[in-house]
Amino acid sequence: MQGPSAMPLKRDQRKVWEKFYRTGERPWKGYKEIDSFLELVKKGSLVLDAGSGTGKSSIKYYKDFKIILLDFSMNSLKNSVLKNEKILGNVKSLPFKDQVFDAIISVHLFEHILEDERYIAMKELMRVLKEKGLLFIESFSVQDFRYGKGREIEKNTFLRGNNIFTHYFEKEEFFNLLNNFYIIKMEESIIKRKILKNTYKMVNFVAIGRKI
């Protein structure tokens, strides 16, 4: 772990993410499989991909659903291959009316929000989600191989050399984030990835919830 003076904390991460996506390439290859979630959502429904980045979680499904990408990085939206609607905005203050979305996708969003703002963001997602609407959420676990790398800026949150901070959730903490949802499914997903002949475990918490 790096020392406390290694680098300054950039609480407003917008410029950091703009730099990250500036290359015009997708930083992560491949797309998330969320079939089991969208099987519960009626075809043609309005779906928000919150903190969408380039839309890698949505690209497979845009023909079956009305998907809106929302991210606070203009470069990430520009780099998306999707042609559907893209909105520049912050998940902590969503530019939508109450109860407009049938479902929301949140993939690796909440680990990039500091502790005192995570419940603000979740409250906003709940506000724009219809009654009995569905939420798919995926976030890193403390069991992930990258846990502990960088400077710890608050409990289980680490700042790396690219100035992006990442939080790793404990199980109870992740469950508490969803305390206003009926949990349909919750699991720990383990993906083994080979990097330079070494095998590492990427560990995520994945949940499907229905708004109470």
Side-chain angles (χ1 to χ4, degrees):
M1 186 180 297
Q2 299 176 12
S5 61
M7 61 189 78
L9 171 63
K10 295 182 182 297
R11 188 178 183 90
D12 182 358
Q13 293 271 283
R14 187 188 299 269
K15 290 183 179 179
V16 178
W17 283 101
E18 291 291 18
K19 181 179 179 181
F20 186 76
Y21 283 109
R22 195 168 293 152
T23 61
E25 299 178 0
R26 294 197 310 271
W28 297 282
K29 306 300 181 183
Y31 301 101
K32 296 289 177 182
E33 297 290 344
I34 52 175
D35 296 13
S36 61
F37 169 65
L38 288 177
E39 284 174 359
L40 303 174
V41 182
K42 184 179 178 180
K43 295 291 178 64
S45 293
L46 187 61
V47 179
L48 175 65
D49 187 348
S52 63
T54 60
K56 66 186 178 69
S57 302
S58 310
I59 192 169
K60 182 179 175 181
Y61 311 99
Y62 77 97
K63 291 183 179 179
D64 294 325
F65 302 93
K66 298 173 184 175
I67 296 176
I68 291 181
L69 305 184
L70 179 130
D71 203 282
F72 72 173
S73 165
M74 179 64 77
N75 286 332
S76 72
L77 297 174
K78 284 181 178 178
N79 293 344
S80 175
V81 298
L82 292 179
K83 303 301 181 184
N84 47 298
E85 191 163 4
K86 308 170 191 178
I87 294 180
L88 185 69
N90 195 314
V91 71
K92 291 173 283 186
S93 182
L94 291 170
F96 306 113
K97 294 180 180 179
D98 296 354
Q99 300 188 44
V100 293
F101 291 98
D102 299 292
I104 294 176
I105 298 167
S106 169
V107 175
H108 296 300
L109 165 66
F110 279 88
E111 55 261 61
H112 299 302
I113 303 174
L114 293 175
E115 183 178 13
D116 60 346
E117 297 180 328
R118 280 180 214 130
Y119 285 93
I120 295 173
M122 182 57 77
K123 187 176 180 180
E124 275 293 275
L125 293 188
M126 288 181 57
R127 179 182 67 79
V128 302
L129 185 62
K130 290 180 180 178
E131 293 299 327
K132 298 185 179 179
L134 292 164
L135 171 70
F136 177 92
I137 182 170
E138 178 176 318
S139 293
F140 291 129
S141 161
V142 292
Q143 301 301 319
D144 188 272
F145 80 96
R146 290 158 291 190
Y147 173 80
K149 292 179 172 61
R151 174 165 66 100
E152 189 170 29
I153 57 173
E154 57 184 29
K155 184 180 178 183
N156 296 335
T157 303
F158 299 90
L159 186 67
R160 304 286 291 276
N162 57 8
N163 265 327
I164 291 173
F165 51 71
T166 303
H167 182 72
Y168 298 84
F169 283 86
E170 297 175 354
K171 186 174 182 179
E172 183 177 358
E173 176 191 21
F174 182 75
F175 185 81
N176 287 340
L177 192 64
L178 301 168
N179 61 5
N180 287 303
F181 289 86
Y182 169 75
I183 304 301
I184 297 173
K185 178 182 179 181
M186 181 172 170
E187 65 182 16
E188 193 173 57
S189 169
I190 300 175
I191 302 171
K192 292 183 179 180
R193 177 163 291 181
K194 201 166 186 177
I195 303 175
L196 298 176
K197 298 183 179 180
N198 293 315
T199 302
Y200 300 91
K201 286 197 306 182
M202 299 176 64
V203 186
N204 303 306
F205 286 121
V206 179
I208 297 173
R210 188 181 299 279
K211 182 179 174 182
I212 298 173

